[in-house]
């Protein structure tokens, strides 16, 4: 390939998510105090930090589940604070998985996974079913298609929730403490699904208390405290050589 026509690292450098001076207040309480974050295509960014530091609020601002008070968030080139931007179409590219799975209890597993693509008319029913079968196999639940959520373990429910988010064919996945509500023996099977997604090149922002996972899987770790990004870096740097007292204190408590 001719070198003149190739921009340096252009493909690797594609920015999927850019937060610029992001602020969020609830009434008088300023929860995010100006965050600057870039997430590149295919990157896995883990967000760690003490409870109440604003991690969930940050994640929720990335698909504008929260109104943004100051600064901006740009996803795939769309400025979420621009009133002309169609939020629904931006959100269709972003899958989100929460601590609590929120599956529809009266629907079977496969119906839960098919629902959003059918309701949003992203695909017809037979296509949606085909895709759901594939996704359930991907998360290791091929045999649970017709089960009801109540018949599943917590780890299985969370894997259904991940398949459901993937059914909209997102190119960004946000995880907010996806394993925090699980019994310890089920954490591994869910983290394995995240690991596989990361290997497949999914762009991911993962709020987690699983420091081993963050260290092993992420390309970059962000440490947040009190509404600020205190420090960010490669997992080896952040865990192995933290620069700030606040980071050291936190890691001393959790490691
Ligand atoms: P984390 O996920 O790091 O534990 P959160 O983003 O959930 O932190 O919360 C950060 C702060 O914002 C906390 O003080 C929390 O009480 C407050 N907060 C979060 N959501 C709301 C809300 N909807 N209304 C008022 N305060 C909120
Ligand atoms: Mg949280």
């Amino acid at each position: 390939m001719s070198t003149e026509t190739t921009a340096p690292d252009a493909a690797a450098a594609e920015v999927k998510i850019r937060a610029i001076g992001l602020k969020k207040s609830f009434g008088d309480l300023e929860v995010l105090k100006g965050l600057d974050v870039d997430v590149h295509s295919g990157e896995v960014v883990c967000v760690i930090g003490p409870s109440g530091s604003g991690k969930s609020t940050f994640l929720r601002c990335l698909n504008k589940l929260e109104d943004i008070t100051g600064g901006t968030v740009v996803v795939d080139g769309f400025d979420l604070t621009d009133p002309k931007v169609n939020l629904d179409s931006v959100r269709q590219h972003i899958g989100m998985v929460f601590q609590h799975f929120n599956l529809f209890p009266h629907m079977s597993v496969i119906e839960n996974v098919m629902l959003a693509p059918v309701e949003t008319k992203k695909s017809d029913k037979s296509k949606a079913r085909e895709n759901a079968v594939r996704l359930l196999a991907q998360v290791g639940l091929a045999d649970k298609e017709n089960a009801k959520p109540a018949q599943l373990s917590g780890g299985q429910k969370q894997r259904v929730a991940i398949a459901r988010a993937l059914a909209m064919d997102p190119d960004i996945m946000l995880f907010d403490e996806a394993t925090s509500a699980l019994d310890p023996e089920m954490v591994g099977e869910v983290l394995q699904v995240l690991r596989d997604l990361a290997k497949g090149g999914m762009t991911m922002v993962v709020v987690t208390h699983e420091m081993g996972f963050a260290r092993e899987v992420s390309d970059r770790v962000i440490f947040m405290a009190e509404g600020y990004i205190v420090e960010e870096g490669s997992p080896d740097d952040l865990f192995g050589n933290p620069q700030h007292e606040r980071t050291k204190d936190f890691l001393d408590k959790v490691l």
Side-chain angles (χ1 to χ4, degrees):
M1 197 190 283
S2 130
T3 45
E4 301 93 66
T5 56
T6 312
D9 291 329
E14 187 199 342
V15 176
K16 296 292 285 181
I17 302 172
R18 169 165 285 172
I20 307 165
L22 172 63
K23 292 186 177 183
K24 172 64 188 173
S25 299
F26 295 102
D28 291 339
L29 180 68
E30 190 171 55
V31 169
L32 302 180
K33 298 172 181 162
L35 307 187
D36 295 299
V37 180
D38 277 355
V39 180
H40 298 89
S41 183
E43 210 180 5
V44 178
V45 175
C46 281
V47 182
I48 62 172
S51 180
S53 56
K55 305 180 299 296
S56 295
T57 305
F58 168 59
L59 219 55
R60 292 167 59 79
C61 285
L62 298 184
N63 56 6
K64 220 176 170 217
L65 289 177
E66 300 290 354
D67 274 327
I68 291 167
T69 320
T72 191
V73 174
V74 181
V75 176
D76 281 329
F78 294 100
D79 182 342
L80 302 189
T81 61
D82 178 349
K84 292 191 290 293
V85 164
N86 181 342
L87 282 178
D88 287 337
S89 69
V90 177
R91 285 186 187 127
Q92 284 195 13
H93 298 274
I94 308 177
M96 191 157 185
V97 175
F98 303 92
Q99 185 173 349
H100 298 287
F101 338 108
N102 306 320
L103 300 175
F104 291 107
H106 58 288
M107 295 171 121
S108 68
V109 161
I110 194 160
E111 285 166 345
N112 267 281
V113 178
M114 290 168 60
L115 185 68
V118 171
E119 295 262 291
T120 59
K121 303 201 169 41
K122 193 178 160 81
S123 50
D124 66 45
K125 232 176 170 162
S126 69
K127 278 245 171 62
R129 179 171 294 275
E130 218 174 273
N131 200 35
V133 167
R134 181 181 60 81
L135 289 169
L136 287 170
Q138 184 182 327
V139 300
L141 293 173
D143 55 335
K144 298 292 180 192
E145 283 172 23
N146 299 312
K148 290 279 169 58
Q151 296 168 293
L152 303 182
S153 70
Q156 290 171 331
K157 281 184 208 167
Q158 190 59 300
R159 287 186 281 149
V160 175
I162 295 170
R164 180 181 56 179
L166 292 172
M168 289 297 283
D169 198 21
D171 52 4
I172 297 169
M173 287 286 285
L174 310 177
F175 294 90
D176 193 357
E177 297 197 23
T179 59
S180 295
L182 300 177
D183 290 334
E185 73 269 26
M186 291 167 189
V187 170
E189 68 194 47
V190 172
L191 292 181
Q192 189 54 45
V193 172
L194 268 68
R195 217 175 262 124
D196 293 342
L197 272 178
K199 276 202 200 107
M202 181 65 79
T203 306
M204 296 165 52
V205 184
V206 184
V207 172
T208 186
H209 292 298
E210 297 292 333
M211 297 301 147
F213 174 83
R215 187 158 195 167
E216 172 204 332
V217 179
S218 58
D219 297 301
R220 190 147 48 91
V221 183
I222 292 176
F223 171 67
M224 280 184 70
E226 290 157 35
Y228 294 102
I229 293 176
V230 174
E231 178 164 359
E232 64 175 297
S234 72
D236 281 349
D237 283 346
L238 197 119
F239 289 111
N241 186 22
Q243 297 298 305
H244 292 264
E245 278 313 312
R246 195 77 187 73
T247 318
K248 288 177 196 164
D249 275 357
F250 176 76
L251 293 176
D252 279 346
K253 287 192 189 106
V254 298
L255 290 179

